[in-house]
Amino acid sequence: MVDEQQPDEALMLAYARGHAAAFEPLYARHSQRLWRYFFRNTGNAALADDLAQDTWFAVVDAAPGYQPSAKFSTWAFTLAHHKLVDHWRRHKPHASLDEETGEGMALAETLFANSGFDPERLQGRKDIARALLNALAQLPPEQREAFLLQAEADMTV
């Protein structure tokens, strides 16, 4: 039996030993943060879905050799980073802050996507989100990604 209150690393080790139920709490804890990381880097919900799914497949594939040498979230976001880099190598980004994301929102409006804020509060933060995303857009891709890894994965610089 798997205790869902265990640390991520213990859950991943249990999953690697064949306890499939250990995967569920890991996914529940980290799936939204991984998805937001991809969505805020790409501005495309469908692409974020695909990249997040690829990352979780990579977690499953790497499970037998998993060694907790770092926090699970660090390891998972490293896999996510590699998936994003591979994507950008295949496709050059051409996003504009005013470009629609396919979700009926401009990229600048996606900063607080899926964050649970009600519409009135979200509307009040659009200017801040637009300014922050404008500043992020001015950063080189490596610096932007470093910022988003810190903001979404709680990683230190």
Side-chain angles (χ1 to χ4, degrees):
M1 177 159 195
V2 175
D3 177 9
E4 293 185 10
Q5 301 303 317
Q6 289 180 317
D8 294 338
E9 297 75 23
L11 288 169
M12 186 61 188
L13 287 170
Y15 178 69
R17 288 190 307 269
H19 299 284
F23 185 80
E24 292 177 33
L26 285 172
Y27 184 82
R29 290 177 193 174
H30 300 284
S31 62
Q32 282 294 88
R33 290 173 48 208
L34 277 169
W35 185 87
R36 282 192 311 264
Y37 167 72
F38 288 124
F39 184 63
R40 291 183 180 151
N41 267 292
T42 65
N44 182 312
L47 180 57
D49 289 343
D50 290 345
L51 291 169
Q53 183 178 18
D54 288 348
T55 301
W56 286 110
F57 283 144
V59 167
V60 169
D61 288 344
Y66 174 75
Q67 293 296 318
S69 58
K71 288 178 21 179
F72 171 81
S73 61
T74 301
W75 180 74
F77 273 89
T78 299
L79 293 175
H81 165 77
H82 291 295
K83 295 295 179 186
L84 187 63
V85 168
D86 290 345
H87 168 76
W88 290 137
R89 284 183 182 147
R90 289 188 305 273
H91 307 90
K92 296 289 183 197
H94 299 290
S96 162
L97 289 176
D98 296 319
E99 182 178 318
E100 292 248 344
T101 63
E103 301 296 310
M105 297 191 295
L107 181 58
E109 296 171 326
T110 65
L111 180 62
F112 295 100
N114 288 345
S115 60
F117 293 131
D118 58 77
E120 294 83 21
R121 192 168 180 189
L122 180 62
Q123 180 64 36
R125 293 180 175 241
K126 278 186 179 178
D127 290 340
I128 294 170
R130 189 173 297 279
L132 179 57
L133 283 171
N134 190 29
L136 281 172
Q138 302 301 316
L139 292 174
E142 296 83 13
Q143 290 178 354
R144 179 176 51 247
E145 188 175 352
F147 173 81
L148 290 171
L149 282 169
Q150 191 282 322
E152 290 296 338
D154 295 325
M155 293 183 176
T156 61
V157 177

